[in-house]
């Protein structure tokens, strides 16, 4: 099979829920057969045990070994030249852009597409500095939402011009459809009403707001998918406020299992304080679920396209009140809302549309 491009994905995380792996590498492997997928894993030397990577995808566990990265690039470039294929490097973290360029003596900076997966204004100072430096030494910079681009530094936008743009995140509707067609019953807690939240267990995701909100609502159980440094603290908090039996911690799981849990649930919730453009919300919408999410700009951006997305203020009382309304709806009403969300996700946030725009970014890098 002929190969027109070697696409190197550079990331610091290869897990079951990793967006660079799922929405980029695996999707393009299926939909772009003329393209060879290669992964460089920086700051770690192996993928998480929770993920299986197809054998035809070469993964280099680089860690922080500069010499190893340089050798890996030389090897991949040699293979690309032998196949008369172009070479594009897509990097998903600012610190990885810096390390990659340093390790390769800036040889490939015109081949780099850098995706900013969050929102610049919410970064701590050192991450802002990394982002600025990474942007200046990349050929193309992509923000994952209009909101993310809005808060990208104005001076950098003037300097970079059309080298920076917004390409909204997408959701793998085809993959979800395959799961929906073959799904068997999933145990999400055996409760009358189940809400699911897919997020790392970190402060910015504000899990305690949800726990406080469901405390007076005995019918609802909350399923948390994800891991993080706050896991023990959140377990203890749930017990302390008397709802330990209604909080289910499921940890990390393969993406297909995430979809199965979403499909079998009644509601998706997100109390996050900021995002880039939340893939978890988009996936829940594509699964046909009603969604109640925090009233932040990134969620409002989605709501501008899909008005059946429900947003909620920060107070516990607001969350309890809106959850109570949703719990009181009959299944037909919830399905109608979920179906509208699904249509909206398919129309505005498909991976097909996302990758058609990334293809143009990759083409520009090939010509430099």
């Amino acid at each position: 099979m002929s190969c027109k491009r070697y696409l190197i994905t550079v990331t610091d995380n290869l897990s079951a829920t990793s967006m660079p792996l799922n929405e980029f590498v695996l999707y393009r492997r299926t939909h772009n057969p003329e393209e060879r997928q290669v992964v460089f894993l920086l700051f770690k030397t192996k993928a998480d045990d929770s993920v299986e990577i197809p054998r035809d995808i070469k993964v280099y566990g680089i860690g922080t070994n500069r010499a190893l990265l340089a050798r890996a690039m030389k090897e991949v470039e040699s293979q690309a030249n032998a196949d008369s294929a172009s070479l594009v490097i897509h990097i998903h973290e600012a610190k990885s852009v810096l390390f990659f360029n340093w390790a390769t003596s800036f040889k490939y900076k015109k081949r780099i597409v850098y995706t900013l997966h969050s929102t610049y204004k919410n970064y701590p100072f050192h991450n802002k500095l990394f982002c600025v430096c990474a942007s200046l030494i990349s050929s193309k910079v992509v923000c994952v939402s209009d909101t993310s681009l809005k808060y990208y530094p104005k001076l950098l936008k003037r300097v970079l011009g059309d080298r920076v743009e917004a390409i909204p995140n997408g959701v793998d509707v085809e993959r979800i459809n395959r799961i929906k067609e073959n799904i068997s019953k999933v145990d999400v807690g055996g409760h009358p009403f189940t809400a699911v939240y897919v997020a790392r267990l970190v402060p910015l995701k504000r899990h305690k707001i949800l726990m406080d909100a469901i405390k007076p609502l005995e019918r609802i159980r909350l399923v948390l998918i994800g891991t993080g440094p706050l896991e023990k603290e959140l377990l203890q908090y749930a017990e302390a406020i008397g709802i330990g039996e209604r909080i289910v911690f499921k940890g990390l799981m393969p993406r297909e299992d995430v979809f199965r849990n979403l499909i079998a649930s009644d509601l998706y919730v997100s109390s996050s304080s900021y995002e880039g453009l939340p893939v978890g919300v988009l996936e829940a919408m594509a699964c046909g679920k009603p969604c109640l999410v925090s009233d932040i700009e990134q969620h409002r951006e989605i709501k501008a396209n899909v008005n059946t997305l429900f947003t909620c203020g920060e107070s516990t009382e607001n969350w309890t009140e809106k959850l109570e309304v949703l719990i009181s709806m009959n299944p037909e009403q919830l399905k109608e809302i979920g179906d509208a969300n699904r249509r909206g996700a398919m129309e505005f946030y498909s991976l097909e549309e996302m990758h058609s725009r990334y293809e143009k970014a990759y083409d520009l890098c090939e010509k430099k």
Side-chain angles (χ1 to χ4, degrees), residues 149-314:
L149 181 60
K150 172 184 174 181
Y151 290 109
Y152 189 77
K154 292 181 180 179
L155 178 59
L156 266 183
K157 282 191 274 194
R158 287 198 293 269
V159 170
L160 297 178
D162 60 6
R163 287 169 53 198
V164 60
E165 68 170 314
I167 300 179
N169 280 338
V171 59
D172 196 340
V173 176
E174 294 175 12
R175 196 173 177 185
I176 288 173
N177 287 345
R178 290 195 298 269
I179 299 298
K180 285 177 71 71
E181 290 170 2
N182 299 291
I183 192 169
S184 57
K185 179 64 178 176
V186 175
D187 179 12
V188 290
H191 221 69
F193 194 95
T194 299
V196 173
Y197 187 16
V198 182
R200 291 188 65 225
L201 305 181
V202 293
L204 70 91
K205 300 301 182 179
R206 302 190 295 191
H207 292 80
K208 288 182 181 179
I209 288 178
L210 296 176
M211 293 183 181
D212 290 337
I214 73 167
K215 181 180 177 180
L217 305 175
E218 295 183 357
R219 288 185 56 207
I220 189 169
R221 178 170 294 197
L222 177 63
V223 173
L224 302 178
I225 299 175
T227 60
L230 293 186
E231 184 169 355
K232 183 177 179 181
E233 179 181 328
L234 292 172
L235 278 163
Q236 292 173 341
Y237 187 76
E239 292 292 339
I241 65 174
I243 60 169
E245 77 285 353
R246 291 196 280 131
I247 307 294
V248 180
F249 290 81
K250 292 213 168 185
L252 283 177
M253 58 178 60
R255 206 53 163 271
E256 286 81 2
D257 288 342
V258 173
F259 296 153
R260 291 185 183 97
N261 277 266
L262 289 172
I263 292 166
S265 69
D266 299 291
L267 175 70
Y268 185 81
V269 291
S270 171
S271 49
S272 182
S273 56
Y274 69 90
E275 297 280 355
L277 193 70
V279 174
V281 174
L282 299 180
E283 289 178 340
M285 292 169 63
C287 286
K289 296 292 111 177
C291 299
L292 179 61
V293 298
S294 51
D295 189 18
I296 59 176
E297 283 189 74
Q298 295 85 348
H299 289 152
R300 292 198 293 271
E301 181 177 330
I302 300 173
K303 187 173 182 177
N305 289 322
V306 189
N307 63 13
T308 45
L309 183 74
F310 298 122
T311 55
C312 185
E314 292 188 10

